mmCIF file of all heavy atoms in Angstrom:
data_model
loop_
_atom_site.group_PDB
_atom_site.id
_atom_site.type_symbol
_atom_site.label_atom_id
_atom_site.label_comp_id
_atom_site.label_asym_id
_atom_site.label_seq_id
_atom_site.Cartn_x
_atom_site.Cartn_y
_atom_site.Cartn_z
ATOM 1 N N GLN D 25 19.216 9.258 -32.237
ATOM 2 C CA GLN D 25 19.480 8.049 -31.439
ATOM 3 C C GLN D 25 19.696 8.352 -29.966
ATOM 4 O O GLN D 25 20.058 7.461 -29.195
ATOM 5 C CB GLN D 25 20.663 7.297 -32.015
ATOM 6 C CG GLN D 25 21.911 8.135 -32.079
ATOM 7 C CD GLN D 25 23.098 7.349 -32.575
ATOM 8 O OE1 GLN D 25 23.203 6.171 -32.285
ATOM 9 N NE2 GLN D 25 23.991 7.993 -33.300
ATOM 10 N N TRP D 26 19.523 9.580 -29.574
ATOM 11 C CA TRP D 26 19.710 9.886 -28.159
ATOM 12 C C TRP D 26 19.038 11.222 -27.874
ATOM 13 O O TRP D 26 18.356 11.793 -28.747
ATOM 14 C CB TRP D 26 21.205 9.906 -27.826
ATOM 15 C CG TRP D 26 21.528 9.880 -26.353
ATOM 16 C CD1 TRP D 26 22.309 10.765 -25.681
ATOM 17 C CD2 TRP D 26 21.062 8.932 -25.383
ATOM 18 N NE1 TRP D 26 22.366 10.447 -24.358
ATOM 19 C CE2 TRP D 26 21.597 9.317 -24.133
ATOM 20 C CE3 TRP D 26 20.235 7.808 -25.435
ATOM 21 C CZ2 TRP D 26 21.349 8.636 -22.948
ATOM 22 C CZ3 TRP D 26 19.979 7.118 -24.245
ATOM 23 C CH2 TRP D 26 20.546 7.526 -23.024
ATOM 24 N N GLN D 29 21.462 16.862 -28.268
ATOM 25 C CA GLN D 29 22.786 17.311 -27.811
ATOM 26 C C GLN D 29 23.662 17.628 -29.012
ATOM 27 O O GLN D 29 23.267 17.374 -30.151
ATOM 28 C CB GLN D 29 23.440 16.258 -26.907
ATOM 29 C CG GLN D 29 23.558 14.891 -27.559
ATOM 30 C CD GLN D 29 24.163 13.849 -26.611
ATOM 31 O OE1 GLN D 29 24.424 14.141 -25.456
ATOM 32 N NE2 GLN D 29 24.390 12.654 -27.111
ATOM 33 N N GLN D 31 25.958 16.357 -30.525
ATOM 34 C CA GLN D 31 26.173 15.287 -31.490
ATOM 35 C C GLN D 31 25.253 15.470 -32.714
ATOM 36 O O GLN D 31 25.601 15.043 -33.808
ATOM 37 C CB GLN D 31 25.860 13.949 -30.777
ATOM 38 C CG GLN D 31 26.010 12.720 -31.630
ATOM 39 C CD GLN D 31 25.456 11.483 -30.895
ATOM 40 O OE1 GLN D 31 24.935 11.590 -29.779
ATOM 41 N NE2 GLN D 31 25.581 10.325 -31.503
ATOM 42 N N GLY D 58 15.985 5.622 -23.839
ATOM 43 C CA GLY D 58 16.821 4.460 -23.617
ATOM 44 C C GLY D 58 16.523 3.291 -24.533
ATOM 45 O O GLY D 58 17.422 2.593 -24.943
ATOM 46 N N TRP D 77 24.071 4.179 -35.725
ATOM 47 C CA TRP D 77 25.396 3.674 -35.999
ATOM 48 C C TRP D 77 25.306 2.517 -36.982
ATOM 49 O O TRP D 77 24.403 1.685 -36.908
ATOM 50 C CB TRP D 77 26.064 3.180 -34.690
ATOM 51 C CG TRP D 77 26.481 4.298 -33.777
ATOM 52 C CD1 TRP D 77 26.153 5.602 -33.908
ATOM 53 C CD2 TRP D 77 27.298 4.189 -32.615
ATOM 54 N NE1 TRP D 77 26.716 6.332 -32.910
ATOM 55 C CE2 TRP D 77 27.424 5.484 -32.086
ATOM 56 C CE3 TRP D 77 27.946 3.135 -31.987
ATOM 57 C CZ2 TRP D 77 28.173 5.749 -30.946
ATOM 58 C CZ3 TRP D 77 28.683 3.389 -30.832
ATOM 59 C CH2 TRP D 77 28.803 4.698 -30.326
ATOM 60 N N TRP D 127 28.255 0.572 -22.760
ATOM 61 C CA TRP D 127 26.861 0.951 -22.484
ATOM 62 C C TRP D 127 25.873 -0.153 -22.849
ATOM 63 O O TRP D 127 24.728 -0.075 -22.519
ATOM 64 C CB TRP D 127 26.485 2.202 -23.288
ATOM 65 C CG TRP D 127 27.284 3.385 -22.914
ATOM 66 C CD1 TRP D 127 27.277 3.990 -21.699
ATOM 67 C CD2 TRP D 127 28.178 4.099 -23.730
ATOM 68 N NE1 TRP D 127 28.129 5.067 -21.706
ATOM 69 C CE2 TRP D 127 28.695 5.156 -22.949
ATOM 70 C CE3 TRP D 127 28.610 3.963 -25.042
ATOM 71 C CZ2 TRP D 127 29.616 6.080 -23.443
ATOM 72 C CZ3 TRP D 127 29.528 4.887 -25.522
ATOM 73 C CH2 TRP D 127 30.017 5.914 -24.729
ATOM 74 N N PHE D 129 23.418 -1.824 -25.422
ATOM 75 C CA PHE D 129 22.567 -1.249 -26.465
ATOM 76 C C PHE D 129 23.268 -1.283 -27.827
ATOM 77 O O PHE D 129 23.045 -0.419 -28.646
ATOM 78 C CB PHE D 129 22.176 0.207 -26.139
ATOM 79 C CG PHE D 129 21.288 0.306 -24.952
ATOM 80 C CD1 PHE D 129 21.803 0.584 -23.695
ATOM 81 C CD2 PHE D 129 19.903 0.130 -25.076
ATOM 82 C CE1 PHE D 129 20.988 0.666 -22.589
ATOM 83 C CE2 PHE D 129 19.087 0.227 -23.972
ATOM 84 C CZ PHE D 129 19.624 0.491 -22.721
ATOM 85 N N ASN D 131 26.406 -0.839 -28.336
ATOM 86 C CA ASN D 131 27.651 -0.079 -28.367
ATOM 87 C C ASN D 131 28.855 -0.954 -28.103
ATOM 88 O O ASN D 131 29.982 -0.489 -28.154
ATOM 89 C CB ASN D 131 27.599 1.049 -27.342
ATOM 90 C CG ASN D 131 26.527 2.064 -27.655
ATOM 91 O OD1 ASN D 131 26.559 2.695 -28.689
ATOM 92 N ND2 ASN D 131 25.536 2.157 -26.784
ATOM 93 N N ASP D 155 26.376 3.075 -16.847
ATOM 94 C CA ASP D 155 25.140 3.834 -16.977
ATOM 95 C C ASP D 155 25.467 5.189 -17.597
ATOM 96 O O ASP D 155 26.393 5.296 -18.387
ATOM 97 C CB ASP D 155 24.364 3.915 -15.671
ATOM 98 C CG ASP D 155 25.138 4.571 -14.564
ATOM 99 O OD1 ASP D 155 26.189 5.165 -14.857
ATOM 100 O OD2 ASP D 155 24.689 4.510 -13.398
ATOM 101 N N PHE D 156 24.710 6.202 -17.253
ATOM 102 C CA PHE D 156 24.779 7.435 -18.038
ATOM 103 C C PHE D 156 25.936 8.346 -17.677
ATOM 104 O O PHE D 156 26.115 9.392 -18.241
ATOM 105 C CB PHE D 156 23.478 8.205 -17.903
ATOM 106 C CG PHE D 156 22.276 7.317 -18.052
ATOM 107 C CD1 PHE D 156 21.517 6.946 -16.958
ATOM 108 C CD2 PHE D 156 21.941 6.819 -19.295
ATOM 109 C CE1 PHE D 156 20.438 6.113 -17.108
ATOM 110 C CE2 PHE D 156 20.865 5.979 -19.451
ATOM 111 C CZ PHE D 156 20.107 5.619 -18.358
ATOM 112 N N MET D 172 32.611 8.525 -25.359
ATOM 113 C CA MET D 172 32.617 9.201 -26.639
ATOM 114 C C MET D 172 33.518 10.434 -26.494
ATOM 115 O O MET D 172 33.498 11.102 -25.465
ATOM 116 C CB MET D 172 31.207 9.641 -27.040
ATOM 117 C CG MET D 172 30.181 8.517 -27.110
ATOM 118 S SD MET D 172 30.695 7.110 -28.130
ATOM 119 C CE MET D 172 30.823 7.898 -29.726
ATOM 120 N N TYR D 174 33.153 13.160 -27.679
ATOM 121 C CA TYR D 174 32.392 14.400 -27.560
ATOM 122 C C TYR D 174 31.585 14.510 -26.281
ATOM 123 O O TYR D 174 31.013 15.531 -26.002
ATOM 124 C CB TYR D 174 31.480 14.600 -28.778
ATOM 125 C CG TYR D 174 30.690 13.365 -29.202
ATOM 126 C CD1 TYR D 174 29.508 13.003 -28.568
ATOM 127 C CD2 TYR D 174 31.139 12.570 -30.262
ATOM 128 C CE1 TYR D 174 28.793 11.894 -28.977
ATOM 129 C CE2 TYR D 174 30.433 11.466 -30.688
ATOM 130 C CZ TYR D 174 29.250 11.118 -30.044
ATOM 131 O OH TYR D 174 28.542 10.039 -30.429
ATOM 132 N N ASN D 175 31.501 13.414 -25.498
ATOM 133 C CA ASN D 175 30.644 13.483 -24.334
ATOM 134 C C ASN D 175 31.319 12.987 -23.069
ATOM 135 O O ASN D 175 31.794 13.766 -22.245
ATOM 136 C CB ASN D 175 29.348 12.727 -24.601
ATOM 137 C CG ASN D 175 28.303 12.924 -23.507
ATOM 138 O OD1 ASN D 175 28.547 13.683 -22.579
ATOM 139 N ND2 ASN D 175 27.182 12.271 -23.616
ATOM 140 N N GLU D 176 31.439 11.680 -22.944
ATOM 141 C CA GLU D 176 31.900 11.127 -21.665
ATOM 142 C C GLU D 176 33.335 11.533 -21.361
ATOM 143 O O GLU D 176 33.679 11.723 -20.190
ATOM 144 C CB GLU D 176 31.740 9.610 -21.649
ATOM 145 C CG GLU D 176 30.288 9.138 -21.530
ATOM 146 C CD GLU D 176 29.554 9.180 -22.851
ATOM 147 O OE1 GLU D 176 30.173 9.468 -23.884
ATOM 148 O OE2 GLU D 176 28.317 8.973 -22.836
HETATM 149 C C1 LIG F 3 20.495 4.123 -23.080
HETATM 150 C C2 LIG F 3 21.821 4.498 -23.635
HETATM 151 N N1 LIG F 3 22.138 4.222 -24.878
HETATM 152 C C3 LIG F 3 23.313 4.562 -25.333
HETATM 153 C C4 LIG F 3 24.193 5.194 -24.515
HETATM 154 C C5 LIG F 3 25.549 5.584 -24.944
HETATM 155 N N2 LIG F 3 25.584 6.319 -26.121
HETATM 156 C C6 LIG F 3 25.695 5.765 -27.293
HETATM 157 S S1 LIG F 3 25.667 6.891 -28.452
HETATM 158 C C7 LIG F 3 25.507 8.118 -27.386
HETATM 159 C C8 LIG F 3 25.421 9.487 -27.800
HETATM 160 C C9 LIG F 3 26.624 10.190 -27.450
HETATM 161 O O1 LIG F 3 26.617 10.617 -26.172
HETATM 162 C C10 LIG F 3 25.519 7.640 -26.138
HETATM 163 C C11 LIG F 3 25.449 8.484 -24.939
HETATM 164 C C12 LIG F 3 23.867 5.466 -23.215
HETATM 165 N N3 LIG F 3 24.735 6.089 -22.429
HETATM 166 N N4 LIG F 3 22.659 5.099 -22.782
#
Side-chain angles (χ1 to χ4, degrees):
Chain D
Q25 57 176 326
W26 194 235
Q29 56 182 3
Q31 179 189 2
W77 288 10
W127 297 296
F129 293 96
N131 296 299
D155 60 11
F156 315 105
M172 303 308 297
Y174 45 82
N175 188 3
E176 287 80 6

